Amino acid sequence: MTSQSATKATITTPGDREIHIERIFEAPRDRVFAVYTDPELIPEWWGPRGTTTEVVQMDARTGGDWRFIAHNSDGSQTGFRGTYREVSPPERIVQTFEWDGMPGYVSVETAVFEDLGDRTKVTTTSIFHTTKERDGMLGSGMEGGLNETYQRLDELLARLASE
Amino acid sequence: MTSQSATKATITTPGDREIHIERIFEAPRDRVFAVYTDPELIPEWWGPRGTTTEVVQMDARTGGDWRFIAHNSDGSQTGFRGTYREVSPPERIVQTFEWDGMPGYVSVETAVFEDLGDRTKVTTTSIFHTTKERDGMLGSGMEGGLNETYQRLDELLARLASE
């Protein structure tokens, strides 16, 4: 495991309905943005370790839908879906996020990709309809899963850089 | 046109992300709730006059999805979709609402059905992620369309009562 694999995302809660996440990746912005929007690469990094994510649909352009099914190592599975409200390469993705376990609870995630030369800062802001929904997400163990996801993304970016 | 067909819904905006609508219907609560959740009756009342609504999907139970396509008299069409977050007969329906013209902009509508004996008061509260989205809905001509929809519902309820 490389040193940046241990990097933790910075998670804060400005306002009463938001989650704000910052993370720096050791790859240029175009590469990071391309990985975020490539359906073939999603199974390589999306979700915690031990999860295999199946891309059922991923139309990564403004107005397109996405649907993923996460297969866990114990054989269980759960689905996620949403709509791309905006895809503006290489700077910005706005998408809705909904988990099959709580259908109809829809948050909006805005990811902004900041060019730091050889590195990229990704700032993700999630907004919920209510404080209760926001707090439900915070209490779901998202932080551990998120950090594993980002570490897997570090590793994928490192592999791609060495190809 | 009967007298109650001219009834206007009361629309207010408590808070900065909500639209609150109240309307009384001349039918008992069980009947009004049944009409709201019956896919076969949706084309009879859903949408402004001159619109024919096609029910593509309507799984009116907690967790189910819905999708309607509104066919206008000029041949144009537009779609709407969402998920039933809660369906609790005969009291309460909570569902998401998303228009194809603005994909990823999702509001949550809570309809509460109050038993007034031979009449029913339906209170619908829509909540948006932002004030801008709420104001966009208010500025879309929703009030005229809503009142026509409710008048069509009055007429359908009167027909059902006379059968």
Side-chain angles (χ1 to χ4, degrees):
Chain A
M1 192 179 289
T2 58
S3 61
Q4 72 264 28
S5 298
T7 306
K8 283 195 175 173
T10 305
I11 302 179
T12 55
T13 52
D16 59 356
R17 295 183 293 117
E18 286 173 54
I19 299 173
H20 183 93
I21 301 165
E22 296 188 6
R23 178 66 148 75
I24 289 173
F25 296 95
E26 303 290 329
R29 182 167 70 165
D30 284 350
R31 173 59 60 84
V32 177
F33 193 93
V35 167
Y36 262 79
T37 51
D38 187 337
E40 294 197 5
L41 292 177
I42 291 291
E44 307 283 323
W45 69 277
W46 202 92
R49 289 186 199 285
T51 297
T52 305
T53 297
E54 173 193 357
V55 176
V56 177
Q57 181 178 17
M58 186 175 172
D59 184 12
R61 54 179 178 162
T62 299
D65 290 330
W66 64 272
R67 175 158 177 75
F68 300 164
I69 296 179
H71 298 268
N72 300 314
S73 50
D74 64 2
S76 64
Q77 63 179 52
T78 191
F80 302 88
R81 64 175 174 172
T83 298
Y84 292 99
R85 192 191 282 196
E86 178 190 337
V87 178
S88 301
E91 288 171 7
R92 194 174 144 94
I93 301 171
V94 186
Q95 66 187 78
T96 60
F97 179 93
E98 188 178 356
W99 170 51
D100 285 1
M102 289 187 68
Y105 291 80
V106 181
S107 58
V108 178
E109 292 184 355
T110 299
V112 175
F113 300 76
E114 187 180 349
D115 184 349
L116 303 179
D118 291 340
R119 304 193 303 160
T120 304
K121 181 175 176 182
V122 180
T123 303
T124 305
T125 305
S126 294
I127 186 166
F128 297 79
H129 279 114
T130 63
T131 303
K132 190 175 172 185
E133 288 170 49
R134 191 272 309 266
D135 291 347
M137 176 65 88
L138 287 171
S140 70
M142 66 160 275
E143 185 166 358
L146 182 74
N147 279 313
E148 283 191 19
T149 287
Y150 283 163
Q151 287 162 17
R152 294 179 69 195
L153 180 52
D154 284 335
E155 293 159 17
L156 172 61
L157 290 166
R159 284 202 300 279
L160 294 170
S162 66
E163 279 177 2
Chain B
M1 193 179 287
T2 57
S3 62
Q4 72 264 27
S5 298
T7 306
K8 283 196 175 170
T10 304
I11 302 180
T12 55
T13 52
D16 59 358
R17 295 182 293 115
E18 285 176 53
I19 300 174
H20 183 93
I21 301 165
E22 296 189 6
R23 178 65 148 73
I24 290 174
F25 296 96
E26 302 290 328
R29 179 166 73 167
D30 284 349
R31 172 59 61 84
V32 176
F33 193 94
V35 168
Y36 262 78
T37 51
D38 186 338
E40 295 197 4
L41 293 178
I42 290 292
E44 308 281 325
W45 68 278
W46 202 92
R49 290 185 199 286
T51 298
T52 306
T53 298
E54 173 192 358
V55 176
V56 176
Q57 181 177 17
M58 184 175 173
D59 185 12
R61 55 180 178 161
T62 299
D65 290 331
W66 64 271
R67 176 160 176 75
F68 300 165
I69 295 179
H71 297 268
N72 301 314
S73 51
D74 65 1
S76 65
Q77 61 181 52
T78 192
F80 302 87
R81 64 176 173 172
T83 299
Y84 292 99
R85 191 191 282 196
E86 179 190 337
V87 178
S88 301
E91 288 170 7
R92 193 174 145 95
I93 301 170
V94 186
Q95 66 188 79
T96 60
F97 179 93
E98 188 177 359
W99 171 49
D100 283 0
M102 290 187 69
Y105 291 80
V106 180
S107 57
V108 178
E109 293 183 353
T110 300
V112 175
F113 300 76
E114 187 181 346
D115 184 350
L116 303 179
D118 291 340
R119 304 195 304 162
T120 304
K121 181 175 176 180
V122 179
T123 302
T124 306
T125 305
S126 293
I127 187 167
F128 298 78
H129 280 113
T130 63
T131 302
K132 190 175 173 185
E133 289 171 49
R134 192 274 307 268
D135 291 348
M137 175 65 88
L138 287 172
S140 70
M142 67 157 276
E143 186 167 356
L146 183 73
N147 279 311
E148 284 191 17
T149 289
Y150 283 164
Q151 286 160 18
R152 294 178 69 194
L153 181 52
D154 283 335
E155 293 159 19
L156 172 60
L157 291 166
R159 284 202 302 280
L160 293 171
S162 66
E163 278 176 2

